[in-house]
Structure formats: structure tokens, C-alpha cells
Amino acid sequence: MEQIKKKRIVELHLCLHHLDVAFRNLDFAVTTVRVKSSTQKPILRNVKGKFSSGRLTAILGPSGAGKTTLLNALAGFKIHGVSGSVKVNGKERDVSKFRKLSCYIKQDICMLALLTTKETLMFAADLKSDSNMSKEQKKIIINEIVEILGLQKTVDTLVQKLSGGEKKRLSIGLELLTNPPIMFFDEPTSGLDCVSALQITSHLKSLAQEGRTVVCTIHQPSSQLFEMFDDVYVLSEGQCIYNGPNDSLIRNLEEGGFHCPTFYSRADFAIEIASGQRGDKDKLIVKYNNKEIDIECQQESDIEETSRLNPSQLSAPQKLLETAIFIEKDVHIASSYSQPLWKQFLTLTKRSLLCTIRDKYFVWLRVLTHIGIGLLLGAVYYDIGNDASRVLSNVSCIFFFVLFLFFCNSVPTVTQIPFETPVVLHEILNNWYSLKAYYISKLIADIPIQIICPTLLLSTGYFLTDQPTDGLRCLQFWILCLLISVIGHHVGLTIGALVSNIEMGMFLIPCTNVALMLFSGFFVILKNVPIWLKWLTDISYFRYTFEGAMQCIYGYNRPNMKCPEIYCYFKSPLKFLEQFSMEDAVYEYDVLALVMWIVILQVSVLLALKWRVHTSQ
């Protein structure tokens, strides 16, 4: 009985709705900037064609022909600057709704490296499946996908340790969880040996035979690989020279005046024609543009079909299984995510925490560094906190606390985000979850490390340097350290989200903070800052952290410090505060200013992520 139930779940999951994609007059150009002018370079030029369900289609052409750009435009990943019409079953496509019906797997596989194969599939199922589906039903579907794709031996292997072919198959499995009727692949065989390439193409062929519309770009397929495709779409300099059955390719090329030599690869011959090596191809372009294409595909009535079985037609046991993973097959329904916002948040937070724990550089190295630096500070500045003759050295020690916490939280973050951003963009654009859910989960998941690291630093360095040990001062200084750590983390998140180049991010961290450090009150006494630069002290979070720290250490009517020498100028803590123009500073105001900075940076992170999503399209 259990086997019957499992079989029934998989059968329900594999129910498909046939959707044909047709397009016409697609144009796209990029702006090339020169020394004195800028020009528009066309990538797609009045492209039209049709991809049918149940058939595996290859987009063929030389490098620079526009294959990936066409795929991006059809998948809805490139919308800015693209003009033309894309229809699904004869009705105009709505991009946001179309993404719910399709998936797009890029050439550069986007998956989190620190998750295992099983964890990757399970988290994807938690995000993409119907909210009513049980965990047991998800496991049944995942096990079936693992078996179909031949990933049984890799279920407990980290993604970063998978081979290229295994990663390709896993990326396909992620999309099979929602059983999309339209699938786009950008060079799925790139970088694979001939055996792995044939295995991947065989999987794609089986997906198409089940009723899906499967389209992929192919750079230079072998003859054996090329024979597996049902249809071919040949691009040349952004224009189509053939779209139709694979078996009819040579005949159509011969009608255009190109004769394929005996025993010559059809794919190589078509690419040579598209690249201009076989002569003038304009006749083929004109011939295809004059060809009438059934752009409407199917009648609108076909769209009203549904792959979900009518509950009234199911028996009682079958009704228990009708919650298998489905997506709506009507491209004109309201677009929404499979899971509510709070479930997206919980799943993403759990996933982020798991990856964080396994990240030796981002977590464990930082933890050990904070402990090591705390011990180093304790050794260098040992027992100077209550020594009136070494006040300036102690101030340097406190300022080093501030700088270390800021940079040790900003630099690792700015190097981590560029690795994670492609995965997030891929999942958001494939409609896995909302940007808001990811943003909130990212902030929450990083809180533990932001609390642990400053605490470890202070538990060693603070007490070894003999700073005031009464509870209030310790708590106040810990709060300041926590706030500057959070600020550093958010600065790293913002810059990491804005730039994709790690070297650029590493450069921008110190570059954007030099001025704020200079006007912190440590290098230049606040009262000596020129009037026209005063505003820099008002926006410096280093100033508020340093000023608040000085209040913690030397404020609140602290008694005179011990003086081991004949005379100590700063024996009275108040005299030191007056010397640094901080006698009137209010700790609560400094904390409020830092909290305001955190809010501003949180908004900046969200805007930076939105900008990345927007520009990626």
C-alpha cells in the first residue's frame, strides 16, 4: 500500500500542461562607449520563432550570435531594453507570471557550496512546494528525483565537492521539484566530457518527452549529441537563419544554396554557415524572415486546461496525496510565491545559519582571530587601564578595539556576498522567494556571530588591560562594541551587494571610511576641526563609538587613577575628557546616533539588493 501511495504521488507530480512559446520582432542592443561617442550594438535583430512542448530544442550559433541573450529574453531574465512580443499558447506573456511556469538554469551553476545534495533539494522543496505538502511527501519526490538523475551516491556530499556533471544534474533536479512545463538551459553541456554531456542531454530529452518545452543553447555539439535534439534554432549575428525540425536542417540549408559535404557534422556545417565561413548567408535570413510561422501556437481554450486532478474524481486515499508539488498552469493567474513570507523567512534563516556554521573562514577564523587579538592587546597594553601615566596609550588601545571590530566584520562580509549574490539573484528571478524574505533572514542569521565575536574580544582584551570592571561600564562598552560590529557588518553587506568584484569591494571598505576615521576625535581633537569640516564629525560613526567609549572609561565621575610617577597630567579622568573636548558628551546620544546609522545602513542594504535585482534584468 505504501508503494502504491508513493507511486501515486510521483504520478501526480509528473502531470504536465503543454505550453508552447512563440516570439516575434525581438530586438535588443547594448551601448558601447568610445572615447568621444557611444554607439548601439545590436545583439538581437527582429528575431522570431517558436518552441513547442514535448520537443527538445537546441539554439545553435557561433560565439557572439546572441544565443544567451535570446534565452535571457525568453526566460524573462532580461527585460530592460528588449522589445518585441512573446506569447505562451497564443496569449501575450506576463513576465512575473511566466516565471512561475518556467525555470532558467544558467551556464554558471548557482548553488550554495556548503550544502549537501540532499539539503539543497530539501531547502528548495521547502521554498518552492505547496504550503500544504507534508515533509514525508517532499522526501518521496526528492528521492525519486535523486534516482532519476543518478545522484544516489552524492546525497551527503557538499555541493563544492561535486563534479561538473553532478552539479548540472542537481541544478536540473532543483527545478523538477516544481515540475515546470517550460525549461531553459544555457549551455548545459559546457565544460563536460562527452559521456557526461550525453548523460545530461539524455535527461533533457526525457524531460521533453514527458511534455515539457525544453530549450537550451549549445556551443559546439558532437554529431551524436546533436542527433538527440528534436528541433534546431540557428542564430547568426542576432538573426535567425533556421527554426524547425533537426531532420529538415540540411534540406533547408541546401535550398538556400549551401550543400553539406558527405559525412560532415550537421551542427558544424550550420555553425560555419552562421559565422559566414561558407559564403553569404543573407539569402537564408531573407528566406526565414519571409516564412510564415504559427506564432499563435494553440488556441486560448487550451490554456484553461489544468494538470491538477479534480478532487471529486479521486478516491479517499488519493485525496490524501493531492498535495503533491504543483504549480498553476495558467499563465494569467495572479503571481505569488508558493510559501508565505514567514515560512520563506524561516527556511532561509535556517539555510543561512547552516552555511554560516560550516564556513570556516567566515565564522571559525573570525572567532579565533577575535580571541587572538584580544590576547595580543592584553599582552601589549597589559594593566594600563588605571595607570594615569599611560592614558594616551590606553586611548590608543580603546581606539584599536573600535577599528578592529569594524574592519573584522566588514571585510569578511564584503568578500562573502559576491559569492552568494548570484545564487540569490537566480532564486529570486526564478520565483523561489521574495527579496524581502531573504533580506530579513540575512540580517537575523548574522546576529549570533555579531554578538559572539565582540564578546570574545572583550572577555580577553578588556580585562587584561585593566579597564574599569564595574558592571555598568562593562555593559556600556560592550554595547558600543556590538553596535560598531553591526555597523561594520552592514557596510560590508552594502558594498558587497553593490559590487560583484571582490577586489573592488576590498578597496572600497577602507577608501569610504578613511575620512570618517580621521574625524573620529582620535587623530584630531574635535574642537580643532575646521568649521567647514565639522559636518564630517557629525556623520562619523567612529566618532560616536570613540566618544561613547571615552565616557564609559573616563566619564561618570570616575575617581582619580593611580600615578606610579612623580606627576601625572591625566590623573583626573575629567581633565582627559576636557583635553579631548568630550566633557559634555552624552553616552545615550552616542548610542542613538549609532542606532540611526544601523537603520540607515539596513535601508542601504535593501536598496542595494533591489538595485542588483533590477540591473540583472
Side-chain angles (χ1 to χ4, degrees):
M1 184 63 183
E2 185 66 24
Q3 292 298 323
I4 295 175
K5 287 184 177 181
K6 291 182 178 181
K7 182 179 180 182
R8 183 59 179 157
I9 288 178
V10 175
E11 286 176 350
L12 288 173
H13 175 65
L14 293 177
C15 290
L16 282 174
H17 179 75
H18 297 267
L19 297 176
D20 293 345
V21 179
F23 52 96
R24 69 162 78 244
N25 304 328
L26 286 187
D27 287 284
F28 177 74
V30 294
T31 302
T32 56
V33 181
R34 298 181 178 178
V35 178
K36 294 184 179 180
S37 63
S38 61
T39 58
Q40 291 288 320
K41 179 183 177 181
I43 305 298
L44 298 178
R45 297 187 288 177
N46 197 33
V47 174
K48 67 177 181 178
K50 181 181 70 173
F51 299 135
S52 302
S53 59
R55 299 181 69 81
L56 178 61
T57 304
I59 300 179
L60 204 64
S63 298
K67 302 187 297 295
T68 300
T69 302
L70 175 61
L71 211 61
N72 287 335
L74 294 176
F77 275 51
K78 177 67 68 176
I79 55 178
H80 301 297
V82 177
S83 61
S85 171
V86 179
K87 294 186 177 183
V88 180
N89 280 9
K91 298 191 72 173
E92 199 68 32
R93 176 196 67 174
D94 182 288
V95 174
S96 61
K97 299 171 186 177
F98 179 74
R99 287 179 185 156
K100 194 174 179 65
L101 299 171
S102 63
C103 71
Y104 180 26
I105 301 175
K106 295 186 176 183
Q107 180 180 355
D108 298 327
I109 300 173
C110 300
M111 290 181 289
L112 296 177
L114 296 177
L115 296 178
T116 65
T117 298
K118 185 177 181 180
E119 290 167 347
T120 301
L121 288 168
M122 183 55 74
F123 280 121
D126 290 339
L127 289 167
K128 301 171 66 178
S129 65
D130 187 274
S131 57
N132 297 321
M133 169 164 281
S134 68
K135 190 173 183 179
E136 185 62 30
Q137 289 173 323
K138 294 175 186 176
K139 287 182 178 180
I140 293 173
I141 299 298
I142 288 174
N143 292 337
E144 186 70 17
I145 290 174
V146 167
E147 184 178 344
I148 291 173
L149 297 178
L151 295 172
Q152 298 94 326
K153 296 181 180 180
T154 66
V155 289
D156 296 319
T157 305
L158 293 179
V159 169
Q160 64 184 4
K161 296 182 179 180
L162 296 178
S163 66
E166 289 167 344
K167 288 181 180 178
K168 294 279 187 181
R169 280 178 277 160
L170 177 56
S171 65
I172 295 173
L174 292 176
E175 304 306 335
L176 288 180
L177 288 167
T178 49
N179 199 25
I182 303 173
M183 306 184 77
F184 299 101
F185 298 86
D186 187 15
E187 297 198 20
T189 60
S190 176
L192 302 180
D193 58 80
C194 59
V195 176
S196 297
L198 283 173
Q199 289 177 343
I200 292 295
T201 308
S202 177
H203 288 308
L204 299 183
K205 179 79 170 180
S206 63
L207 294 176
Q209 289 174 342
E210 291 171 358
R212 298 175 182 85
T213 302
V214 182
V215 183
C216 55
T217 61
I218 297 293
H219 183 62
Q220 197 171 8
S222 63
S223 297
Q224 185 180 5
L225 189 68
F226 190 63
E227 290 296 328
M228 302 181 70
F229 289 93
D230 301 306
D231 295 328
V232 180
Y233 192 95
V234 185
L235 272 174
S236 173
E237 297 180 342
Q239 295 178 293
C240 182
I241 61 176
Y242 177 74
N243 177 207
N246 193 351
D247 297 337
S248 303
L249 173 63
I250 296 301
R251 177 172 54 82
N252 278 268
L253 294 179
E254 288 178 347
E255 290 176 358
F258 298 93
H259 298 277
C260 181
T262 307
F263 306 116
Y264 201 81
S265 170
R266 290 185 294 169
D268 291 343
F269 185 64
I271 293 175
E272 289 173 4
I273 293 174
S275 60
Q277 296 182 13
R278 293 278 178 172
D280 188 9
K281 58 184 178 296
D282 291 342
K283 186 183 296 185
L284 288 174
I285 297 174
V286 173
K287 177 186 175 183
Y288 181 76
N289 287 334
N290 291 334
K291 181 181 177 181
E292 289 296 328
I293 294 182
D294 181 17
I295 199 77
E296 301 301 328
C297 300
Q298 300 179 17
Q299 297 298 319
E300 181 179 336
S301 58
D302 291 342
I303 305 175
E304 303 302 325
E305 298 175 6
T306 176
S307 68
R308 190 187 296 273
L309 297 178
N310 189 336
S312 63
Q313 297 174 341
L314 299 176
S315 63
Q318 291 171 337
K319 289 182 179 179
L320 297 175
L321 305 177
E322 65 180 349
T323 54
I325 303 178
F326 285 104
I327 58 173
E328 294 291 344
K329 306 306 183 194
D330 188 344
V331 294
H332 309 288
I333 60 171
S335 177
S336 62
Y337 299 100
S338 299
Q339 299 289 345
L341 181 63
W342 69 271
K343 282 191 177 180
Q344 296 176 31
F345 161 72
L346 290 178
T347 302
L348 291 172
T349 302
K350 181 180 178 181
R351 187 178 74 169
S352 183
L353 284 172
L354 184 59
C355 291
T356 299
I357 292 172
R358 291 176 179 170
D359 194 332
K360 295 180 181 179
Y361 168 69
F362 189 69
V363 178
W364 301 113
L365 183 59
R366 286 172 66 188
V367 168
L368 294 175
T369 301
H370 280 77
I371 296 174
I373 293 298
L375 293 173
L376 179 63
L377 286 173
V380 174
Y381 296 102
Y382 181 75
D383 205 24
I384 69 170
N386 197 37
D387 189 340
S389 65
R390 303 175 67 184
V391 169
L392 294 180
S393 295
N394 191 48
V395 172
S396 299
C397 174
I398 299 301
F399 191 70
F400 187 85
F401 269 100
V402 174
L403 291 186
F404 175 76
L405 288 171
F406 176 83
F407 286 104
C408 201
N409 280 276
S410 59
V411 173
T413 306
V414 82
T415 58
Q416 180 199 36
I417 290 298
F419 291 112
E420 188 174 313
T421 300
V423 180
V424 175
L425 291 176
H426 173 79
E427 293 174 348
I428 289 176
L429 293 178
N430 269 323
N431 225 46
W432 287 31
Y433 49 81
S434 68
L435 178 61
K436 185 187 297 183
Y438 168 75
Y439 165 73
I440 299 173
S441 69
K442 190 64 181 173
L443 297 183
I444 299 298
D446 291 328
I447 288 179
I449 192 68
Q450 294 172 19
I451 295 177
I452 292 172
C453 287
T455 304
L456 292 174
L457 179 68
L458 295 186
S459 63
T460 52
Y462 184 86
F463 295 104
L464 287 175
T465 55
D466 194 27
Q467 306 302 331
T469 56
D470 58 282
L472 180 60
R473 293 180 189 272
C474 290
L475 177 62
Q476 287 181 326
F477 191 71
W478 178 82
I479 290 174
L480 290 172
C481 290
L482 177 63
L483 292 175
I484 195 63
S485 298
V486 173
I487 287 175
H489 181 78
H490 282 69
V491 169
L493 284 177
T494 303
I495 294 178
L498 286 173
V499 299
S500 56
N501 185 282
I502 295 178
E503 290 78 9
M504 178 62 71
M506 295 282 286
F507 171 76
L508 287 176
I509 287 289
C511 183
T512 55
N513 285 278
V514 167
L516 300 182
M517 291 167 53
L518 181 62
F519 293 96
S520 62
F522 176 78
F523 299 102
V524 181
I525 297 176
L526 296 178
K527 66 181 180 181
N528 295 333
V529 176
I531 188 67
W532 59 280
L533 291 175
K534 285 284 186 182
W535 64 275
L536 286 170
T537 65
D538 295 332
I539 66 171
S540 173
Y541 34 75
F542 294 109
R543 174 261 177 101
Y544 293 111
T545 309
F546 181 63
E547 188 177 75
M550 293 301 97
Q551 285 295 319
C552 294
I553 304 300
Y554 297 108
Y556 299 108
N557 298 318
R558 179 180 175 178
N560 289 345
M561 295 178 287
K562 63 181 181 180
C563 181
E565 300 180 359
I566 298 176
Y567 173 74
C568 297
Y569 184 75
F570 291 122
K571 184 175 182 178
S572 170
L574 180 60
K575 182 177 288 188
F576 165 77
L577 293 177
E578 291 174 348
Q579 180 71 28
F580 274 72
S581 303
M582 295 181 181
E583 68 277 10
D584 296 326
V586 180
Y587 173 84
E588 288 76 13
Y589 290 167
D590 293 326
V591 171
L592 179 61
L594 293 176
V595 171
M596 291 176 62
W597 256 114
I598 291 175
V599 173
I600 292 171
L601 288 170
Q602 286 180 341
V603 174
S604 300
V605 173
L606 181 59
L607 293 177
L609 290 172
K610 285 187 174 182
W611 177 80
R612 281 298 292 272
V613 173
H614 176 77
T615 55
S616 68
Q617 302 179 78

